[in-house]
PDB file of all heavy atoms in Angstrom:
ATOM      1  N   ILE A 141     -81.819  44.861 -64.986  1.00  0.00           N
ATOM      2  CA  ILE A 141     -82.978  43.961 -65.011  1.00  0.00           C
ATOM      3  C   ILE A 141     -82.630  42.728 -63.929  1.00  0.00           C
ATOM      4  O   ILE A 141     -83.416  42.407 -63.195  1.00  0.00           O
ATOM      5  CB  ILE A 141     -83.283  43.473 -66.413  1.00  0.00           C
ATOM      6  CG1 ILE A 141     -83.814  44.521 -67.258  1.00  0.00           C
ATOM      7  CG2 ILE A 141     -84.250  42.264 -66.434  1.00  0.00           C
ATOM      8  CD1 ILE A 141     -83.978  44.140 -68.644  1.00  0.00           C
ATOM      9  N   ILE A 142     -81.563  42.192 -64.171  1.00  0.00           N
ATOM     10  CA  ILE A 142     -81.150  41.129 -63.252  1.00  0.00           C
ATOM     11  C   ILE A 142     -81.138  41.463 -61.944  1.00  0.00           C
ATOM     12  O   ILE A 142     -81.690  40.762 -60.971  1.00  0.00           O
ATOM     13  CB  ILE A 142     -79.646  40.512 -63.706  1.00  0.00           C
ATOM     14  CG1 ILE A 142     -79.730  39.936 -65.099  1.00  0.00           C
ATOM     15  CG2 ILE A 142     -79.231  39.504 -62.605  1.00  0.00           C
ATOM     16  CD1 ILE A 142     -78.428  39.459 -65.658  1.00  0.00           C
ATOM     17  N   MET A 143     -80.532  42.544 -61.529  1.00  0.00           N
ATOM     18  CA  MET A 143     -80.415  43.057 -60.123  1.00  0.00           C
ATOM     19  C   MET A 143     -81.838  43.327 -59.484  1.00  0.00           C
ATOM     20  O   MET A 143     -82.118  42.941 -58.349  1.00  0.00           O
ATOM     21  CB  MET A 143     -79.582  44.240 -59.993  1.00  0.00           C
ATOM     22  CG  MET A 143     -78.173  44.122 -60.382  1.00  0.00           C
ATOM     23  SD  MET A 143     -77.209  43.227 -59.265  1.00  0.00           S
ATOM     24  CE  MET A 143     -76.770  44.645 -58.122  1.00  0.00           C
ATOM     25  N   ARG A 144     -82.746  43.978 -60.289  1.00  0.00           N
ATOM     26  CA  ARG A 144     -84.010  44.358 -59.730  1.00  0.00           C
ATOM     27  C   ARG A 144     -84.830  43.026 -59.421  1.00  0.00           C
ATOM     28  O   ARG A 144     -85.488  42.982 -58.554  1.00  0.00           O
ATOM     29  CB  ARG A 144     -84.746  45.289 -60.681  1.00  0.00           C
ATOM     30  CG  ARG A 144     -84.155  46.704 -60.675  1.00  0.00           C
ATOM     31  CD  ARG A 144     -84.924  47.525 -61.682  1.00  0.00           C
ATOM     32  NE  ARG A 144     -84.219  48.893 -61.800  1.00  0.00           N
ATOM     33  CZ  ARG A 144     -84.262  49.520 -63.009  1.00  0.00           C
ATOM     34  NH1 ARG A 144     -84.884  49.032 -64.052  1.00  0.00           N
ATOM     35  NH2 ARG A 144     -83.689  50.672 -63.078  1.00  0.00           N
ATOM     36  N   THR A 145     -84.880  42.235 -60.474  1.00  0.00           N
ATOM     37  CA  THR A 145     -85.645  40.979 -60.345  1.00  0.00           C
ATOM     38  C   THR A 145     -85.074  40.190 -59.110  1.00  0.00           C
ATOM     39  O   THR A 145     -85.874  39.634 -58.374  1.00  0.00           O
ATOM     40  CB  THR A 145     -85.526  40.145 -61.608  1.00  0.00           C
ATOM     41  OG1 THR A 145     -85.936  40.937 -62.767  1.00  0.00           O
ATOM     42  CG2 THR A 145     -86.445  38.960 -61.538  1.00  0.00           C
ATOM     43  N   THR A 146     -83.854  39.981 -59.082  1.00  0.00           N
ATOM     44  CA  THR A 146     -83.170  39.234 -58.093  1.00  0.00           C
ATOM     45  C   THR A 146     -83.487  39.817 -56.707  1.00  0.00           C
ATOM     46  O   THR A 146     -83.730  39.077 -55.691  1.00  0.00           O
ATOM     47  CB  THR A 146     -81.577  39.122 -58.319  1.00  0.00           C
ATOM     48  OG1 THR A 146     -81.402  38.545 -59.653  1.00  0.00           O
ATOM     49  CG2 THR A 146     -80.999  38.271 -57.240  1.00  0.00           C
ATOM     50  N   PHE A 147     -83.312  41.065 -56.567  1.00  0.00           N
ATOM     51  CA  PHE A 147     -83.516  41.745 -55.259  1.00  0.00           C
ATOM     52  C   PHE A 147     -84.992  41.508 -54.864  1.00  0.00           C
ATOM     53  O   PHE A 147     -85.134  41.275 -53.624  1.00  0.00           O
ATOM     54  CB  PHE A 147     -83.252  43.254 -55.398  1.00  0.00           C
ATOM     55  CG  PHE A 147     -83.379  44.009 -54.014  1.00  0.00           C
ATOM     56  CD1 PHE A 147     -82.351  44.047 -53.242  1.00  0.00           C
ATOM     57  CD2 PHE A 147     -84.543  44.625 -53.674  1.00  0.00           C
ATOM     58  CE1 PHE A 147     -82.365  44.705 -52.072  1.00  0.00           C
ATOM     59  CE2 PHE A 147     -84.625  45.245 -52.434  1.00  0.00           C
ATOM     60  CZ  PHE A 147     -83.529  45.304 -51.705  1.00  0.00           C
ATOM     61  N   GLY A 148     -85.960  41.569 -55.751  1.00  0.00           N
ATOM     62  CA  GLY A 148     -87.361  41.449 -55.223  1.00  0.00           C
ATOM     63  C   GLY A 148     -87.663  40.013 -54.822  1.00  0.00           C
ATOM     64  O   GLY A 148     -88.258  39.804 -53.783  1.00  0.00           O
ATOM     65  N   VAL A 149     -87.163  39.085 -55.748  1.00  0.00           N
ATOM     66  CA  VAL A 149     -87.370  37.610 -55.282  1.00  0.00           C
ATOM     67  C   VAL A 149     -86.630  37.195 -53.999  1.00  0.00           C
ATOM     68  O   VAL A 149     -87.213  36.596 -53.154  1.00  0.00           O
ATOM     69  CB  VAL A 149     -86.853  36.689 -56.520  1.00  0.00           C
ATOM     70  CG1 VAL A 149     -86.974  35.144 -56.052  1.00  0.00           C
ATOM     71  CG2 VAL A 149     -87.720  36.923 -57.742  1.00  0.00           C
ATOM     72  N   THR A 150     -85.400  37.758 -53.792  1.00  0.00           N
ATOM     73  CA  THR A 150     -84.580  37.466 -52.657  1.00  0.00           C
ATOM     74  C   THR A 150     -85.353  38.034 -51.416  1.00  0.00           C
ATOM     75  O   THR A 150     -85.361  37.460 -50.279  1.00  0.00           O
ATOM     76  CB  THR A 150     -83.168  38.010 -52.845  1.00  0.00           C
ATOM     77  OG1 THR A 150     -82.635  37.466 -53.996  1.00  0.00           O
ATOM     78  CG2 THR A 150     -82.384  37.644 -51.603  1.00  0.00           C
ATOM     79  N   ALA A 151     -85.727  39.311 -51.442  1.00  0.00           N
ATOM     80  CA  ALA A 151     -86.492  40.066 -50.317  1.00  0.00           C
ATOM     81  C   ALA A 151     -87.716  39.133 -50.060  1.00  0.00           C
ATOM     82  O   ALA A 151     -87.917  38.967 -48.743  1.00  0.00           O
ATOM     83  CB  ALA A 151     -86.901  41.300 -50.650  1.00  0.00           C
ATOM     84  N   LEU A 152     -88.384  38.700 -50.859  1.00  0.00           N
ATOM     85  CA  LEU A 152     -89.692  37.946 -50.658  1.00  0.00           C
ATOM     86  C   LEU A 152     -89.281  36.688 -49.939  1.00  0.00           C
ATOM     87  O   LEU A 152     -89.896  36.199 -48.909  1.00  0.00           O
ATOM     88  CB  LEU A 152     -90.453  37.567 -51.905  1.00  0.00           C
ATOM     89  CG  LEU A 152     -91.699  36.731 -51.782  1.00  0.00           C
ATOM     90  CD1 LEU A 152     -92.649  37.472 -50.874  1.00  0.00           C
ATOM     91  CD2 LEU A 152     -92.262  36.425 -53.236  1.00  0.00           C
ATOM     92  N   ALA A 153     -88.252  35.945 -50.418  1.00  0.00           N
ATOM     93  CA  ALA A 153     -87.750  34.742 -49.781  1.00  0.00           C
ATOM     94  C   ALA A 153     -87.309  34.943 -48.275  1.00  0.00           C
ATOM     95  O   ALA A 153     -87.584  34.181 -47.425  1.00  0.00           O
ATOM     96  CB  ALA A 153     -86.701  34.075 -50.642  1.00  0.00           C
ATOM     97  N   MET A 154     -86.550  36.024 -48.135  1.00  0.00           N
ATOM     98  CA  MET A 154     -86.082  36.336 -46.716  1.00  0.00           C
ATOM     99  C   MET A 154     -87.236  36.652 -45.752  1.00  0.00           C
ATOM    100  O   MET A 154     -87.142  36.352 -44.665  1.00  0.00           O
ATOM    101  CB  MET A 154     -85.088  37.382 -46.841  1.00  0.00           C
ATOM    102  CG  MET A 154     -83.793  37.037 -47.655  1.00  0.00           C
ATOM    103  SD  MET A 154     -82.498  38.352 -47.740  1.00  0.00           S
ATOM    104  CE  MET A 154     -81.858  38.208 -45.916  1.00  0.00           C
ATOM    105  N   VAL A 155     -88.229  37.348 -46.289  1.00  0.00           N
ATOM    106  CA  VAL A 155     -89.339  37.558 -45.361  1.00  0.00           C
ATOM    107  C   VAL A 155     -90.079  36.357 -45.057  1.00  0.00           C
ATOM    108  O   VAL A 155     -90.545  36.126 -43.833  1.00  0.00           O
ATOM    109  CB  VAL A 155     -90.349  38.618 -46.165  1.00  0.00           C
ATOM    110  CG1 VAL A 155     -91.715  38.621 -45.420  1.00  0.00           C
ATOM    111  CG2 VAL A 155     -89.789  40.100 -46.250  1.00  0.00           C
ATOM    112  N   MET A 156     -90.222  35.442 -46.034  1.00  0.00           N
ATOM    113  CA  MET A 156     -90.878  34.157 -45.776  1.00  0.00           C
ATOM    114  C   MET A 156     -90.173  33.381 -44.878  1.00  0.00           C
ATOM    115  O   MET A 156     -90.639  32.459 -44.183  1.00  0.00           O
ATOM    116  CB  MET A 156     -91.146  33.421 -47.052  1.00  0.00           C
ATOM    117  CG  MET A 156     -92.175  34.093 -47.970  1.00  0.00           C
ATOM    118  SD  MET A 156     -92.451  33.242 -49.561  1.00  0.00           S
ATOM    119  CE  MET A 156     -93.269  31.735 -48.947  1.00  0.00           C
ATOM    120  N   LEU A 157     -88.791  33.434 -44.817  1.00  0.00           N
ATOM    121  CA  LEU A 157     -87.971  32.611 -43.858  1.00  0.00           C
ATOM    122  C   LEU A 157     -88.347  33.031 -42.342  1.00  0.00           C
ATOM    123  O   LEU A 157     -88.152  32.129 -41.512  1.00  0.00           O
ATOM    124  CB  LEU A 157     -86.484  32.923 -44.150  1.00  0.00           C
ATOM    125  CG  LEU A 157     -85.803  32.044 -45.231  1.00  0.00           C
ATOM    126  CD1 LEU A 157     -84.416  32.723 -45.557  1.00  0.00           C
ATOM    127  CD2 LEU A 157     -85.734  30.656 -44.881  1.00  0.00           C
ATOM    128  N   LEU A 158     -88.896  34.186 -42.100  1.00  0.00           N
ATOM    129  CA  LEU A 158     -89.135  34.572 -40.818  1.00  0.00           C
ATOM    130  C   LEU A 158     -90.470  33.975 -40.326  1.00  0.00           C
ATOM    131  O   LEU A 158     -90.838  34.014 -39.112  1.00  0.00           O
ATOM    132  CB  LEU A 158     -89.255  36.146 -40.781  1.00  0.00           C
ATOM    133  CG  LEU A 158     -87.988  36.794 -41.170  1.00  0.00           C
ATOM    134  CD1 LEU A 158     -88.255  38.416 -41.083  1.00  0.00           C
ATOM    135  CD2 LEU A 158     -86.803  36.430 -40.256  1.00  0.00           C
ATOM    136  N   THR A 159     -91.242  33.398 -41.242  1.00  0.00           N
ATOM    137  CA  THR A 159     -92.617  32.987 -40.879  1.00  0.00           C
ATOM    138  C   THR A 159     -92.810  31.559 -41.107  1.00  0.00           C
ATOM    139  O   THR A 159     -93.759  31.050 -40.385  1.00  0.00           O
ATOM    140  CB  THR A 159     -93.599  33.844 -41.706  1.00  0.00           C
ATOM    141  OG1 THR A 159     -93.399  33.688 -43.070  1.00  0.00           O
ATOM    142  CG2 THR A 159     -93.610  35.276 -41.382  1.00  0.00           C
ATOM    143  N   VAL A 160     -92.180  30.847 -41.941  1.00  0.00           N
ATOM    144  CA  VAL A 160     -92.392  29.581 -42.377  1.00  0.00           C
ATOM    145  C   VAL A 160     -92.023  28.658 -41.091  1.00  0.00           C
ATOM    146  O   VAL A 160     -90.928  28.795 -40.559  1.00  0.00           O
ATOM    147  CB  VAL A 160     -91.550  28.995 -43.564  1.00  0.00           C
ATOM    148  CG1 VAL A 160     -91.616  27.468 -43.756  1.00  0.00           C
ATOM    149  CG2 VAL A 160     -92.012  29.770 -44.757  1.00  0.00           C
ATOM    150  N   PRO A 161     -92.885  27.682 -40.703  1.00  0.00           N
ATOM    151  CA  PRO A 161     -92.597  26.841 -39.620  1.00  0.00           C
ATOM    152  C   PRO A 161     -91.230  25.991 -39.777  1.00  0.00           C
ATOM    153  O   PRO A 161     -90.999  25.509 -41.027  1.00  0.00           O
ATOM    154  CB  PRO A 161     -93.844  25.828 -39.465  1.00  0.00           C
ATOM    155  CG  PRO A 161     -94.879  26.596 -40.236  1.00  0.00           C
ATOM    156  CD  PRO A 161     -94.351  27.466 -41.408  1.00  0.00           C
ATOM    157  N   ILE A 162     -90.465  25.721 -38.786  1.00  0.00           N
ATOM    158  CA  ILE A 162     -89.199  25.023 -38.901  1.00  0.00           C
ATOM    159  C   ILE A 162     -89.564  23.612 -38.805  1.00  0.00           C
ATOM    160  O   ILE A 162     -90.130  23.078 -37.742  1.00  0.00           O
ATOM    161  CB  ILE A 162     -88.289  25.399 -37.835  1.00  0.00           C
ATOM    162  CG1 ILE A 162     -87.848  26.920 -37.987  1.00  0.00           C
ATOM    163  CG2 ILE A 162     -87.081  24.490 -37.826  1.00  0.00           C
ATOM    164  CD1 ILE A 162     -87.023  27.421 -36.889  1.00  0.00           C
ATOM    165  N   THR A 163     -89.263  22.848 -39.968  1.00  0.00           N
ATOM    166  CA  THR A 163     -89.342  21.315 -39.975  1.00  0.00           C
ATOM    167  C   THR A 163     -88.159  20.745 -40.253  1.00  0.00           C
ATOM    168  O   THR A 163     -87.171  21.390 -40.604  1.00  0.00           O
ATOM    169  CB  THR A 163     -90.608  20.896 -41.038  1.00  0.00           C
ATOM    170  OG1 THR A 163     -90.063  21.482 -42.261  1.00  0.00           O
ATOM    171  CG2 THR A 163     -91.968  21.601 -40.596  1.00  0.00           C
ATOM    172  N   HIS A 164     -88.072  19.378 -40.112  1.00  0.00           N
ATOM    173  CA  HIS A 164     -86.917  18.609 -40.324  1.00  0.00           C
ATOM    174  C   HIS A 164     -87.130  17.434 -41.159  1.00  0.00           C
ATOM    175  O   HIS A 164     -88.245  16.727 -41.200  1.00  0.00           O
ATOM    176  CB  HIS A 164     -86.382  18.033 -38.923  1.00  0.00           C
ATOM    177  CG  HIS A 164     -86.578  19.142 -37.847  1.00  0.00           C
ATOM    178  ND1 HIS A 164     -85.513  19.970 -37.660  1.00  0.00           N
ATOM    179  CD2 HIS A 164     -87.488  19.254 -36.997  1.00  0.00           C
ATOM    180  CE1 HIS A 164     -85.884  20.893 -36.595  1.00  0.00           C
ATOM    181  NE2 HIS A 164     -87.151  20.383 -36.292  1.00  0.00           N
ATOM    182  N   ILE A 165     -86.144  16.973 -42.102  1.00  0.00           N
ATOM    183  CA  ILE A 165     -86.233  15.757 -42.895  1.00  0.00           C
ATOM    184  C   ILE A 165     -85.174  14.769 -42.231  1.00  0.00           C
ATOM    185  O   ILE A 165     -85.146  13.642 -42.559  1.00  0.00           O
ATOM    186  CB  ILE A 165     -85.849  16.134 -44.235  1.00  0.00           C
ATOM    187  CG1 ILE A 165     -84.503  16.620 -44.440  1.00  0.00           C
ATOM    188  CG2 ILE A 165     -86.876  16.827 -45.009  1.00  0.00           C
ATOM    189  CD1 ILE A 165     -84.076  16.816 -45.871  1.00  0.00           C
ATOM    190  N   LYS A 166     -84.391  15.274 -41.253  1.00  0.00           N
ATOM    191  CA  LYS A 166     -83.540  14.302 -40.474  1.00  0.00           C
ATOM    192  C   LYS A 166     -84.147  14.111 -39.038  1.00  0.00           C
ATOM    193  O   LYS A 166     -85.346  14.416 -38.879  1.00  0.00           O
ATOM    194  CB  LYS A 166     -82.063  14.835 -40.426  1.00  0.00           C
ATOM    195  CG  LYS A 166     -81.373  14.717 -41.660  1.00  0.00           C
ATOM    196  CD  LYS A 166     -79.926  15.081 -41.530  1.00  0.00           C
ATOM    197  CE  LYS A 166     -79.143  14.871 -42.864  1.00  0.00           C
ATOM    198  NZ  LYS A 166     -77.641  15.289 -42.690  1.00  0.00           N
ATOM    199  N   SER A 167     -83.266  13.687 -38.206  1.00  0.00           N
ATOM    200  CA  SER A 167     -83.743  13.438 -36.776  1.00  0.00           C
ATOM    201  C   SER A 167     -84.389  14.802 -36.123  1.00  0.00           C
ATOM    202  O   SER A 167     -83.754  15.737 -36.284  1.00  0.00           O
ATOM    203  CB  SER A 167     -82.616  12.971 -35.886  1.00  0.00           C
ATOM    204  OG  SER A 167     -82.941  12.885 -34.542  1.00  0.00           O
ATOM    205  N   GLN A 168     -85.404  14.568 -35.472  1.00  0.00           N
ATOM    206  CA  GLN A 168     -86.146  15.725 -34.775  1.00  0.00           C
ATOM    207  C   GLN A 168     -85.095  16.267 -33.662  1.00  0.00           C
ATOM    208  O   GLN A 168     -85.366  17.406 -33.342  1.00  0.00           O
ATOM    209  CB  GLN A 168     -87.329  15.322 -34.081  1.00  0.00           C
ATOM    210  CG  GLN A 168     -88.301  16.340 -33.577  1.00  0.00           C
ATOM    211  CD  GLN A 168     -88.950  17.313 -34.668  1.00  0.00           C
ATOM    212  OE1 GLN A 168     -88.955  16.836 -35.875  1.00  0.00           O
ATOM    213  NE2 GLN A 168     -89.311  18.514 -34.325  1.00  0.00           N
ATOM    214  N   SER A 169     -84.226  15.514 -33.287  1.00  0.00           N
ATOM    215  CA  SER A 169     -83.304  15.918 -32.165  1.00  0.00           C
ATOM    216  C   SER A 169     -82.525  17.042 -32.598  1.00  0.00           C
ATOM    217  O   SER A 169     -81.903  17.848 -31.799  1.00  0.00           O
ATOM    218  CB  SER A 169     -82.461  14.822 -31.790  1.00  0.00           C
ATOM    219  OG  SER A 169     -81.652  14.260 -32.703  1.00  0.00           O
ATOM    220  N   MET A 170     -82.326  17.326 -33.921  1.00  0.00           N
ATOM    221  CA  MET A 170     -81.491  18.465 -34.388  1.00  0.00           C
ATOM    222  C   MET A 170     -82.065  19.701 -33.808  1.00  0.00           C
ATOM    223  O   MET A 170     -81.340  20.705 -33.453  1.00  0.00           O
ATOM    224  CB  MET A 170     -81.656  18.584 -35.959  1.00  0.00           C
ATOM    225  CG  MET A 170     -80.721  17.545 -36.651  1.00  0.00           C
ATOM    226  SD  MET A 170     -78.950  18.052 -36.654  1.00  0.00           S
ATOM    227  CE  MET A 170     -78.331  16.911 -37.779  1.00  0.00           C
TER     228      MET A 170
END
Side-chain angles (χ1 to χ4, degrees):
I141 293 172
I142 292 172
M143 295 284 279
R144 287 174 188 152
T145 305
T146 303
F147 186 84
V149 173
T150 304
L152 179 61
M154 295 181 73
V155 170
M156 292 180 69
L157 277 171
L158 301 178
T159 58
V160 171
I162 296 176
T163 56
H164 320 272
I165 58 175
K166 287 189 177 182
S167 170
Q168 189 70 22
S169 63
M170 281 282 190

